[in-house]
Amino acid sequence: MYQKSLHSAHAATTRLRESVRTKRTELQWFRQNVKLISVLRGQMEYLEEFALLEHNYSCSLSGAIEALQASTLRLPVVGGARADTQNVKEAIYSAVDVMHAMGSSIRSLLTKVGEMNSLVAELGSMSAKELSSLDECRDLLKMLTTTQVKECSLRTHIAQLGGLCAGVTTAM
């Protein structure tokens, strides 16, 4: 009688341990998902900001192209035409100023793009590690389930053998 209650207590304890182990694994998986989601949310802000910067850059670049075209189209270049050197000089200075402004804008964008690139690379690396960890977790859970099934089978077999031995002993 004591063996039976001891065995059932042991079985209940084993089930509780397995349940706790499973819950811990699930909790770890959820924590990793929360980390991944928080990283992705942080990156989304940068991507949205980059879209705004890209739009501003495109508008600025279009304006610069139009200004340069307008400056160069005003210059007479055929048929011995003459031009006012002061106007040509101002047009060239204006074009150079626009080019300098574009250069500054491009340098500013390049640093932001470089930062974004490193963050995206880090995110990709982290995502790959997370996927690897999730695959490993899945494999471990499969192995745990298989082991648990074997353990239950062996316990049942032992219990059956114990019942047979008890029956043989009482028969003698």
Side-chain angles (χ1 to χ4, degrees), residues 39-68:
V39 168
L40 289 175
R41 281 190 182 148
Q43 298 306 312
M44 288 304 295
E45 292 176 19
Y46 290 118
L47 290 173
E48 289 169 358
E49 183 179 321
F50 182 75
L52 292 174
L53 289 174
E54 183 182 28
H55 176 72
N56 291 341
Y57 171 73
S58 296
C59 291
S60 177
L61 189 59
S62 296
I65 290 171
E66 288 175 13
L68 287 173

Side-chain angles (χ1 to χ4, degrees), residues 2 10 12 18 26 29 40 47-48 67 81-83 89 97 106 126 135 144 148 151 153 169:
Y2 289 116
H10 178 67
E18 290 302 318
E26 288 176 5
W29 183 78
L40 289 175
L47 290 173
E48 289 169 358
R82 295 182 183 192
K89 181 179 171 183
D97 288 343
I106 288 171
M126 184 179 288
D135 287 342
L144 178 67
Q148 189 176 14
E151 180 189 11
S153 175
T169 306

Side-chain angles (χ1 to χ4, degrees), residues 32 122-135:
Q32 289 175 343
E122 184 180 336
L123 177 62
S125 173
M126 184 179 288
S127 295
K129 287 178 184 176
E130 289 291 327
L131 283 174
S132 174
S133 295
L134 288 174
D135 287 342

Side-chain angles (χ1 to χ4, degrees), residues 10 13 72 74 78 135 145-146:
H10 178 67
T13 305
T72 56
R74 282 191 243 148
V78 292
D135 287 342
T145 303
T146 303

Side-chain angles (χ1 to χ4, degrees), residues 7-49:
H7 178 69
S8 64
H10 178 67
T13 305
T14 302
R15 284 192 301 270
L16 284 174
R17 282 184 185 154
E18 290 302 318
S19 175
V20 167
R21 191 174 299 140
T22 302
K23 294 297 180 185
R24 282 184 181 159
T25 303
E26 288 176 5
L27 179 63
Q28 183 181 10
W29 183 78
F30 284 122
R31 283 180 179 164
Q32 289 175 343
N33 276 344
V34 166
K35 285 180 188 177
L36 181 62
I37 288 170
S38 68
V39 168
L40 289 175
R41 281 190 182 148
Q43 298 306 312
M44 288 304 295
E45 292 176 19
Y46 290 118
L47 290 173
E48 289 169 358
E49 183 179 321

Side-chain angles (χ1 to χ4, degrees), residues 86-150:
Q86 186 61 31
N87 286 341
V88 171
K89 181 179 171 183
E90 288 174 10
I92 290 174
Y93 282 146
S94 174
V96 168
D97 288 343
V98 168
M99 294 298 277
H100 282 299
M102 283 176 45
S104 298
S105 177
I106 288 171
R107 278 191 293 278
S108 171
L109 286 174
L110 281 177
T111 57
K112 290 182 181 182
V113 167
E115 291 170 2
M116 186 68 66
N117 189 28
S118 67
L119 289 173
V120 168
E122 184 180 336
L123 177 62
S125 173
M126 184 179 288
S127 295
K129 287 178 184 176
E130 289 291 327
L131 283 174
S132 174
S133 295
L134 288 174
D135 287 342
E136 184 180 340
C137 184
R138 184 189 67 230
D139 293 342
L140 289 172
L141 284 173
K142 284 180 184 177
M143 190 169 50
L144 178 67
T145 303
T146 303
T147 305
Q148 189 176 14
V149 168
K150 286 180 183 177

